[in-house]
Amino acid sequence: MVTSFLEYLTTNDRNSCGYCKNEQGERTPDSSVTSALSIVQISHDDMMRFEAAGWSTSGRYLYKPNNRLTCCPQFTIRLDVTKFKMSRSQKRAMRQMNEFLATGKRPVCGIKEEDSVEKNQKKSSLTSAETTSTSHQEPPSKKMKDSDRPVLTKKEILNKRFLEKCQQRNLDPEEVRAERKAKDAARQRTIQSYIDEARPDWKHKLEIKIIPVDSREFDERSNESFDLYKRYQTTIHKDHHCRFAGFRKFLCDSPLSIEKRDGVELGSFHMWFLLDEKIIAVSVLDVLPQCVSAKYMFYDPDYSFLSLGTYTALREIDVTKRFQQICPSLRYYYMGYYIHSCPKMRYKAKFRPSDLLCEKSKTWLTFDACKELLDKSTNSNGFTEFRPEEPQQIPLAVDDILVYSKREILTFAQALIRFPEIADNNEFLQKVRELTILILNSEKTLQEPIKRRHAKNRQTAHQWTQ
């Protein structure tokens, strides 16, 4: 079994926020509050526990926002792929990709992948102006229904006609509805049904490859991946300070080893989208015992007309479904954090039915139920507990935590006896207690050193072609 070693970095550290800006369009300093650890090495099961408890990773950096204090509360969002149904816009993204691959013609119009910040600000200003202009006017009188001629909505009219037809034909309305529902389910299109439309005579060929980040094939095209990442960051995020070292640290250096379990390879991968053998998009994924966790995605801005944000997410969901068919417990697609106040994050809720993690109870609730609570939040930063009545999970006793010091593994209580200077450091002890509460039940099993594969050519890559 793999040994998990984590190094303490900080508790409630304050930095500028990358999701909200002040009136001058600059990042707000010291508004983001985060606790963090550095991963020396970690087992797949322990990483899964952290993901399910609301933590996230960037390379070896393991972090968790303090949602009560941070400016933009971040809630872990996931999708059960066995229940996923595509929306109209998601079907359009799949259809437009197929039309482009078949004919080479760009779609007339793309799909809306995220809410526009400027549009929301204009809408807010307009609403505010309208409210001000009408505040001194008499409220308009509501049009009352005529008791003899009630005004029906379109839905009520259609339902009335439906019931009348059922009565005329002597049919049970509930049985008819059930039959219609079954037919609609049979006609429901899947991601795979669009993938299967591919033909050899199409003008373009799209190939999907999932490559381990420590494989030879990955290294051979790492410069190509970095060039794509740099173009994406510069064009989309206006980041002109991209460095190869930062790219490697952020998206390539993983503490996870490659391990095959129940027919599925666990570990860290890059999912390449190759158009006529050229990489046009990359998804950064961790495959864990119960989920595929999407870490980041970048693409060639020249192909933004293909709605690659939506399309790549749909293909990631399809990959998760494929894994779930092999390993039934691997059924969740983690999309990172959902931020209710950030328009760029709202697209994640469009992959339905998704769930959000309750900060207190560590239980999952449907997004619709959480959205209602978030909309009603009275906290200054918009934070809310989805299940305040639920008891908080009991963390490990601080004394029982295992620590590594001078080539020995000790309980924290033993370490305090061995190193009395630590016992007198109240600030350090408080930070350890706070970190213990954050981790909650993420026990570390320390039994044997990690076993890494050295023969890169023995690692396999999942591959699908369209």
Side-chain angles (χ1 to χ4, degrees), residues 33-81:
V33 185
T34 306
S35 296
L37 300 159
S38 177
I39 305 175
V40 180
Q41 58 190 35
I42 193 168
S43 70
H44 301 95
D45 293 311
D46 284 339
M47 183 67 88
M48 185 69 243
R49 291 189 185 101
F50 275 106
E51 291 267 355
W55 293 71
S56 189
T57 57
S58 174
R60 294 178 178 270
Y61 184 74
L62 177 67
Y63 64 97
K64 187 180 187 305
N66 185 330
N67 283 340
R68 297 177 184 278
L69 301 177
T70 195
C71 54
C72 298
Q74 303 169 47
F75 301 94
T76 301
I77 183 169
R78 75 178 187 185
L79 168 74
D80 184 342
V81 297

Side-chain angles (χ1 to χ4, degrees), residues 55 94 121 131 152 185 222 235 242 303 351 354 372 387 411:
W55 293 71
M94 296 296 295
Q121 290 174 343
T131 303
L152 301 177
S222 60
T235 306
C242 295
Y303 293 91
F351 296 92
S354 53
E372 185 176 347
R387 283 185 173 170
T411 66

Side-chain angles (χ1 to χ4, degrees), residues 215-242:
S215 65
R216 180 179 291 114
E217 185 174 5
F218 178 85
D219 290 339
E220 288 172 350
R221 302 190 72 165
S222 60
N223 287 332
E224 182 182 355
S225 290
F226 171 66
D227 290 340
L228 179 64
Y229 169 76
K230 188 175 181 179
R231 286 195 62 203
Y232 172 81
Q233 291 294 116
T234 303
T235 306
I236 305 300
H237 296 295
K238 312 305 178 186
D239 178 7
H240 300 279
H241 303 285
C242 295

Side-chain angles (χ1 to χ4, degrees), residues 402-428:
L402 296 177
V403 297
Y404 180 79
S405 179
K406 296 186 177 180
R407 300 183 181 181
E408 286 188 89
I409 298 174
L410 310 167
T411 66
F412 191 66
Q414 292 171 333
L416 292 179
I417 296 172
R418 185 77 59 85
F419 308 103
E421 64 273 14
I422 297 176
D424 296 332
N425 191 333
N426 292 328
E427 182 181 357
F428 175 75

Side-chain angles (χ1 to χ4, degrees), residues 283 306 373 389:
S283 295
L306 290 173
L373 294 171
E389 74 283 355

Side-chain angles (χ1 to χ4, degrees), residues 77-171:
I77 183 169
R78 75 178 187 185
L79 168 74
D80 184 342
V81 297
T82 63
K83 300 177 182 178
F84 174 67
K85 291 183 179 180
M86 282 191 290
S87 66
R88 288 184 179 180
S89 63
Q90 289 161 359
K91 291 176 184 177
R92 187 159 67 249
M94 296 296 295
R95 186 171 63 251
Q96 288 178 347
M97 174 62 83
N98 281 358
E99 289 171 356
F100 171 74
L101 294 175
T103 65
K105 294 182 180 179
R106 295 190 177 198
V108 177
C109 60
I111 68 170
K112 184 179 179 183
E113 296 198 285
E114 61 185 40
D115 294 336
S116 169
V117 177
E118 292 80 5
K119 186 175 180 181
N120 282 330
Q121 290 174 343
K122 288 179 181 178
K123 186 186 293 185
S124 176
S125 300
L126 181 61
T127 304
S128 177
E130 289 175 349
T131 303
T132 304
S133 63
T134 59
S135 60
H136 302 292
Q137 300 176 7
E138 292 294 328
S141 58
K142 292 184 179 179
K143 184 177 180 180
M144 303 299 292
K145 288 185 179 181
D146 188 336
S147 57
D148 296 327
R149 298 182 63 184
V151 179
L152 301 177
T153 64
K154 183 178 180 180
K155 185 176 181 180
E156 290 172 334
I157 294 171
L158 293 175
N159 187 55
K160 184 179 178 181
R161 289 177 183 172
F162 168 73
L163 293 174
E164 288 173 351
K165 286 184 179 181
C166 289
Q167 188 176 7
Q168 291 170 3
R169 299 174 184 178
N170 198 27
L171 298 173

Side-chain angles (χ1 to χ4, degrees), residues 55 68 73 124 128 137 176 207 210 308 310 377 379 394 451:
W55 293 71
R68 297 177 184 278
S124 176
S128 177
Q137 300 176 7
V176 175
E207 186 178 10
I210 302 181
L308 288 173
T310 298
S377 174
N379 292 315
I394 301 173
K451 296 178 181 178

